[in-house]
Short mmCIF file of all heavy atoms in Angstrom, two decimals:
data_model
loop_
_atom_site.label_atom_id
_atom_site.label_comp_id
_atom_site.label_asym_id
_atom_site.label_seq_id
_atom_site.Cartn_x
_atom_site.Cartn_y
_atom_site.Cartn_z
N GLY W 92 -2.57 12.66 10.19
CA GLY W 92 -3.09 14.02 9.91
C GLY W 92 -3.24 14.83 11.19
O GLY W 92 -2.74 14.45 12.25
N CYS W 93 -3.97 15.96 11.02
CA CYS W 93 -4.09 16.91 12.17
C CYS W 93 -4.95 16.37 13.31
O CYS W 93 -4.85 16.80 14.44
CB CYS W 93 -4.69 18.20 11.70
SG CYS W 93 -6.43 18.17 11.29
N GLY W 94 -5.83 15.44 12.94
CA GLY W 94 -6.70 14.81 14.01
C GLY W 94 -8.01 15.60 14.24
O GLY W 94 -8.87 15.07 14.96
N CYS W 96 -9.59 18.01 11.68
CA CYS W 96 -10.35 18.42 10.51
C CYS W 96 -11.46 17.39 10.15
O CYS W 96 -11.47 16.31 10.73
CB CYS W 96 -9.47 18.66 9.32
SG CYS W 96 -8.86 17.18 8.47
N CYS W 99 -9.92 13.96 9.10
CA CYS W 99 -9.25 13.21 10.15
C CYS W 99 -10.28 12.67 11.17
O CYS W 99 -10.12 11.58 11.79
CB CYS W 99 -8.23 14.08 10.83
SG CYS W 99 -6.76 14.40 9.88
N CYS W 107 -6.16 14.72 4.94
CA CYS W 107 -6.20 15.79 6.00
C CYS W 107 -6.28 17.14 5.31
O CYS W 107 -5.50 17.41 4.41
CB CYS W 107 -4.99 15.65 6.89
SG CYS W 107 -4.85 17.09 8.08
N GLU W 108 -7.22 17.97 5.77
CA GLU W 108 -7.42 19.28 5.17
C GLU W 108 -6.73 20.38 5.95
O GLU W 108 -6.91 21.60 5.68
CB GLU W 108 -8.90 19.52 4.97
CG GLU W 108 -9.45 18.58 3.94
CD GLU W 108 -10.99 18.68 3.78
OE1 GLU W 108 -11.66 18.79 4.80
OE2 GLU W 108 -11.46 18.57 2.66
N ASN W 109 -5.95 20.01 6.96
CA ASN W 109 -5.23 20.98 7.74
C ASN W 109 -3.82 20.44 7.91
O ASN W 109 -3.33 20.27 9.07
CB ASN W 109 -5.95 21.12 9.13
CG ASN W 109 -5.28 22.03 10.06
OD1 ASN W 109 -4.55 22.93 9.61
ND2 ASN W 109 -5.43 21.81 11.36
ZN1 ZN X 402 -6.71 16.65 9.35
#
Side-chain angles (χ1 to χ4, degrees):
C93 74
C96 75
C99 286
C107 173
E108 292 174 322
N109 177 27

